[in-house]
Amino acid sequence: MNLVPLALYAVALVAYAWHFAQRNPVVGRSATTLLVAAALSHTFVIGMQTMEAGHVPMTGATSAISTFVWMLALSYLYLEMTTDERAMGVFILPLLVALQAIPAFNPSIEDRAEVLQGPLFGIHVSSLLFAYASFALACVVGITYVLLFKEIKAKHLGFFYARLPSLQVLDRMNQGAIVIGWIFLTIGIIVGAFWAAQARGGYSALDPRVQAMSLQDPKIFVALVCWLVYSFELFAARRIGWGGRRAAYLSAVGFLIVLFNFVPISYFFSKSHNF
Amino acid sequence: MQLLLIGISHRTAPVELRERVDFQVRGVAGALRALAERGSAREAVVVSTCNRAELYVACDEAAATRQDVVRFVSEYNGVPAAEVAPHIYEVVDLEVARHLFRVAAGLDSLVMGEPQILGQVKDAHTVASDTQTVGPVLNRLFHTSFAVGKRVRSETGVGSGAVSISYAAVALARKIFGDLNSRSVAVIGAGEMGKLTALHMKAQSVQHITIVSRTMAHAARTAEAIGGASAAPWEELDAVLSASDIVITATGAAAPILTKAHIEAVMRPRRNRPLFIIDIAMPRDVEAQAGEIEQVFLYNIDDLQSTVRENMARRASEVSRAESIVRDEVDKFGVWFRSRGVIPTVVALRERFEAIRRAELERLQFKLSTLPPDARARVDEITHLIVEKLLLTPTEQLKSLNDADTVGAYSEALTRLFGLSEPEERRKVEPFARNRPPTTRR
């Protein structure tokens, strides 16, 4: 069932690329329409899975990716509709298509482990997924910032100059996305720590995964590294004039760590988060 | 009906002549009325800008009308015909459409793809509309040209990219800062160049302009001339630089006045807010290495010139796409225009039928007079409906014809079969057919 949104995301990607190359307004509107259709079908799929399983499908790594893609698509659509800028679509859509391919070809919904019931866990996962979606947007905006910056600096005003919004707008979008991401990352980590402390004191304290929940676990450790990177970015942009290109680079580095934590570490290394 | 264009433009005439053949001097509306009085044109629009003076005319016979229009151009502007004639170009029918579409799209402009011309063409049409010298043909022609201008702008890159230095600088500033109206501008040097650039920035409604000069009196005078700007003494240069987003340097200094180290020092209190420096001085006022500083964007006059050249080249490369849009639209217009050749025949046919109906009613008037008035009205109505029904299919068929030969053959046949009068005779009655519907009923 996850194949339908994947197909729509892929078609929307083609439309966004076409729009980016040709700047035809009709193609641009079609691209947005296709992405809205993809997000709606994805909403439907997630809704059906929730009904079927009795909980939102985000407890396992695979279904969490699907939920993340859905949140990212919605966040991007929000950004596009509030700023009326479509140029970033061509950078976001490849990420959506690549990540959505994982749940699309591996569609099982994992049973929710007994230990994961309760509202705190829901808050933990959903705020982290939302934080990651914001960081993904910040990263893409940052990449476009660097591309445009380089063109202006090199005095060769060409492809991106004609297509992207101003550096100032990109910088503001980047900072905004990082602030929102950072807030949700902080909430997610704190709630996670709180939940883990509760679980240890409860009847599932003997679960080996709960026991592995410490700073030594790669997933938790890398999440804290992320938090440090983004905290530094926010501080540097405000206090030591690391705005603009440096902030853009940092947001790209930060998201690479997020992605690394999200896919390979979840699947292969973490002992505490493999539900 | 034929289309005719008589004109001179920057391509055919020197500016001295264009100045004298300028319909705006004595008013375009007056020219249109004067042309209408001559009676040779049925519809007319005058497009008059500083680069062109063109008369678009719909007439019965282009060959006869052209002489009269050329004479009119010379008489109205008081320029001897022998002087104007060598610079005049004239085209007829669909070539007129092609020319106007290219003009509206900016393809015939001095600066390729410039946008003002479309507005000027629209204004020309509005004036002619108000003076009531446009009819169905020129209305259609001009409205199509507006659509062509729009299509070319939105579907090709012919109008994209700045093609003048000052506009290139403004476009760059916008790409760096987005909105300029919360930005401060510093102009260093109180000379003419600095003043002109400052005026240009003021037109972009920037928040504040400060003029810095070695001589405070000069700075104050320039600031006053610009209006709304303030002057600062040379000693405050660093403070002004720190507070500004855009810096324009235009001094006559022989050596750079801003070194890399100097600008680095200025950037520190700014916390690396971007600084856009436009160095239009010659020799340059800013050390080239200053452009290496993070968040400093340094453009000198040559850099701006080369972006202008790149934009010009990009526009030129889009011309063939624009031309194909023009071709496309000329073809579409041609189908409509050729189908109009049949209208006089349609009118004549309807008039003939109506005349027969009236004649018959008159002949029977004696018998009809015994009927009550409402029955007589019914008879009138029924006979009218019969005529309309009979004419419906032939009219539709005629109007759907779109090639000139077929139109000619059909008109010829109908004229003979129904004994229609020659269309020319009717036309002479009313030289200016003002938005009149092609049929006359009752």
Side-chain angles (χ1 to χ4, degrees):
Chain A
M1 252 212 312
N2 265 312
L3 279 173
V4 177
L6 175 66
L8 283 168
Y9 284 131
V11 180
L13 166 62
V14 173
Y16 272 102
W18 188 9
H19 167 68
F20 195 69
Q22 296 290 327
R23 281 180 291 169
N24 184 330
V26 180
V27 176
R29 280 194 292 276
S30 318
T32 305
T33 313
L34 282 166
L35 183 56
V36 169
L40 281 178
S41 71
H42 203 165
T43 311
F44 180 74
V45 167
I46 290 176
M48 291 303 282
Q49 288 173 340
T50 307
M51 307 253 285
E52 202 180 325
H55 58 89
V56 180
M58 55 187 183
T59 53
T62 306
S63 49
I65 289 173
S66 172
T67 308
F68 165 76
V69 169
W70 176 70
M71 282 184 177
L72 180 54
L74 291 182
S75 315
Y76 168 72
L77 279 172
Y78 173 77
L79 183 74
E80 183 184 302
M81 282 163 185
T82 47
T83 58
D84 211 18
E85 288 291 351
R86 267 198 191 93
M88 257 73 74
V90 71
F91 299 92
I92 278 284
L93 266 291
L95 191 64
L96 295 182
V97 173
L99 285 177
Q100 182 64 12
I102 300 173
F105 295 107
N106 184 12
S108 63
I109 313 165
E110 306 81 355
D111 284 334
R112 182 161 58 164
E114 194 71 5
V115 63
L116 299 183
Q117 277 158 12
L120 280 184
F121 172 76
I123 296 172
H124 168 66
V125 177
S126 51
S127 38
L128 284 179
L129 288 179
F130 189 71
Y132 293 170
S134 298
F135 291 145
L137 279 182
C139 166
V140 164
V141 172
I143 290 169
T144 58
Y145 181 96
V146 171
L147 291 171
L148 179 59
F149 184 93
K150 285 194 166 160
E151 274 197 356
I152 296 181
K153 206 64 167 168
K155 299 172 184 180
H156 185 80
L157 311 178
F159 193 74
F160 297 110
Y161 184 83
R163 286 164 175 79
L164 293 175
S166 67
L167 287 177
Q168 164 78 13
V169 166
L170 291 173
D171 195 32
R172 234 184 2 233
M173 283 183 187
N174 178 279
Q175 290 298 316
I178 288 178
V179 168
I180 293 172
W182 184 85
I183 292 171
F184 280 92
L185 182 64
T186 310
I187 294 174
I189 290 175
I190 292 173
V191 172
F194 199 67
W195 177 87
Q198 251 186 8
R200 273 205 202 117
Y203 55 88
S204 52
L206 293 176
D207 190 316
R209 292 172 296 202
V210 174
Q211 285 183 338
M213 284 174 191
S214 72
L215 273 181
Q216 273 93 50
D217 183 74
K219 177 118 184 163
I220 296 171
F221 178 73
V222 175
L224 288 173
V225 171
C226 276
W227 188 86
L228 287 176
V229 168
Y230 284 109
S231 304
F232 174 71
E233 204 268 13
L234 288 178
F235 168 77
R238 276 161 187 71
R239 288 280 161 242
I240 48 179
W242 271 37
R245 182 159 62 156
R246 292 195 183 111
Y249 277 134
L250 271 181
S251 64
V253 169
F255 183 64
L256 276 183
I257 301 174
V258 165
L259 209 55
F260 179 64
N261 203 12
F262 195 38
V263 184
I265 289 188
S266 296
Y267 275 97
F268 306 118
F269 300 115
S270 176
K271 292 190 180 64
S272 66
H273 278 69
N274 45 356
F275 288 101
Chain B
M1 186 83 87
Q2 281 198 290
L3 280 169
L4 171 69
L5 158 66
I6 301 284
I8 64 165
S9 77
H10 62 96
R11 292 194 192 280
T12 63
V15 65
E16 295 77 25
L17 184 71
R18 295 207 304 274
E19 277 168 1
R20 290 162 68 200
V21 186
D22 185 347
F23 289 95
Q24 282 169 318
V25 175
R26 293 176 59 192
V28 171
L32 285 168
R33 272 190 289 271
L35 181 61
E37 270 164 29
R38 299 170 80 96
S40 60
R42 286 159 68 81
E43 301 177 23
V45 175
V46 171
V47 176
S48 185
T49 71
C50 53
N51 281 325
R52 66 184 70 246
E54 294 179 334
L55 288 91
Y56 292 85
V57 168
C59 57
D60 294 326
E61 203 57 64
T65 310
R66 75 156 281 277
Q67 287 180 339
D68 188 57
V69 175
V70 172
R71 220 176 298 128
F72 166 74
V73 171
S74 126
E75 284 168 18
Y76 189 78
N77 295 292
V79 183
E83 251 181 83
V84 198
H87 301 284
I88 275 183
Y89 48 83
E90 47 177 274
V91 287
V92 295
D93 291 347
L94 291 187
E95 284 308 306
V96 176
R98 182 184 314 284
H99 184 89
L100 178 63
F101 295 173
R102 293 188 75 249
V103 167
L107 296 174
D108 197 50
S109 297
L110 200 56
V111 176
M112 171 65 64
E114 56 99 3
Q116 284 90 346
I117 185 68
L118 183 57
Q120 288 164 334
V121 170
K122 281 184 181 167
D123 291 345
H125 174 259
T126 308
V127 171
S129 226
D130 294 343
T131 329
Q132 293 187 311
T133 61
V134 279
V137 177
L138 288 189
N139 256 333
R140 176 89 173 206
L141 180 70
F142 274 77
H143 281 294
T144 313
S145 81
F146 307 156
V148 175
K150 238 187 186 167
R151 262 193 80 186
V152 166
R153 284 198 74 70
S154 67
E155 292 176 28
T156 76
V158 158
S160 69
V163 288
S164 75
I165 292 205
S166 50
Y167 188 65
V170 169
L172 260 169
R174 283 188 187 288
K175 256 307 179 237
I176 296 168
F177 297 112
D179 213 351
L180 292 186
N181 54 28
S182 62
R183 303 292 162 182
S184 303
V185 177
V187 180
I188 305 175
E192 200 53 30
M193 272 296 268
K195 185 174 134 194
L196 281 177
T197 323
L199 278 171
H200 206 84
M201 284 290 166
K202 194 187 169 201
Q204 302 300 317
S205 59
V206 294
Q207 196 185 42
H208 193 73
I209 299 177
T210 312
I211 315 282
V212 186
S213 172
R214 284 198 195 275
T215 322
M216 183 60 188
H218 288 173
R221 205 180 318 128
T222 309
E224 200 175 317
I226 292 164
S230 61
W234 194 256
E235 297 73 47
E236 285 174 24
L237 179 63
D238 286 9
V240 171
L241 289 179
S242 297
S244 303
D245 301 294
I246 301 167
V247 173
I248 300 156
T249 62
T251 74
I257 52 164
L258 293 175
T259 60
K260 184 181 177 185
H262 192 161
I263 294 174
E264 262 170 352
V266 167
M267 288 302 280
R268 235 161 275 139
R270 301 168 56 83
R271 286 220 191 104
N272 280 324
R273 262 187 306 121
L275 181 67
F276 180 30
I277 306 176
I278 308 162
D279 185 358
I280 54 173
M282 197 56 81
R284 285 173 292 173
D285 276 341
V286 185
E287 235 177 37
Q289 288 84 345
E292 293 161 10
I293 303 169
E294 181 83 20
Q295 297 291 46
V296 169
F297 303 92
L298 171 62
Y299 275 68
N300 63 38
I301 198 111
D302 280 3
D303 302 330
L304 292 174
Q305 198 102 54
S306 78
T307 72
V308 165
R309 265 197 304 275
E310 276 174 32
N311 288 342
M312 294 264 209
R314 199 166 316 119
R315 283 183 179 205
S317 71
E318 291 285 298
V319 166
S320 63
R321 284 177 65 197
E323 295 282 6
S324 88
I325 291 176
V326 168
R327 258 197 308 279
D328 190 34
E329 295 286 344
V330 169
D331 287 348
K332 276 194 233 161
F333 180 79
V335 169
W336 178 83
F337 182 67
R338 279 189 292 265
S339 78
R340 278 192 54 85
V342 85
I343 283 179
T345 311
V346 172
V347 174
L349 193 63
R350 299 191 80 94
E351 282 175 359
R352 181 89 183 117
F353 274 47
E354 179 66 14
I356 292 170
R357 186 180 77 92
R358 291 213 169 277
E360 285 308 296
L361 284 177
E362 216 148 281
R363 201 167 60 79
L364 296 173
Q365 202 183 16
F366 179 69
K367 287 183 186 168
L368 290 175
S369 60
T370 58
L371 296 174
D374 59 329
R376 263 181 285 159
R378 293 289 289 170
V379 170
D380 190 69
E381 200 182 316
I382 289 165
T383 52
H384 176 75
L385 279 176
I386 290 172
V387 167
E388 286 293 314
K389 276 267 153 63
L390 284 172
L391 283 170
L392 184 66
T393 316
T395 307
E396 278 174 357
Q397 289 293 324
L398 284 168
K399 282 186 172 171
S400 69
L401 299 177
N402 58 23
D403 98 282
D405 289 342
T406 325
V407 166
Y410 270 69
S411 303
E412 175 75 28
L414 286 169
T415 307
R416 287 211 194 157
L417 284 173
F418 292 98
L420 306 179
S421 55
E422 283 299 307
E424 269 72 17
E425 291 170 23
R426 277 192 319 281
R427 281 180 191 167
K428 276 174 191 142
V429 182
E430 221 181 335
F432 257 86
R434 289 173 185 165
N435 300 325
R436 198 169 53 101
T439 53
T440 46
R441 277 191 197 167
R442 275 166 244 199

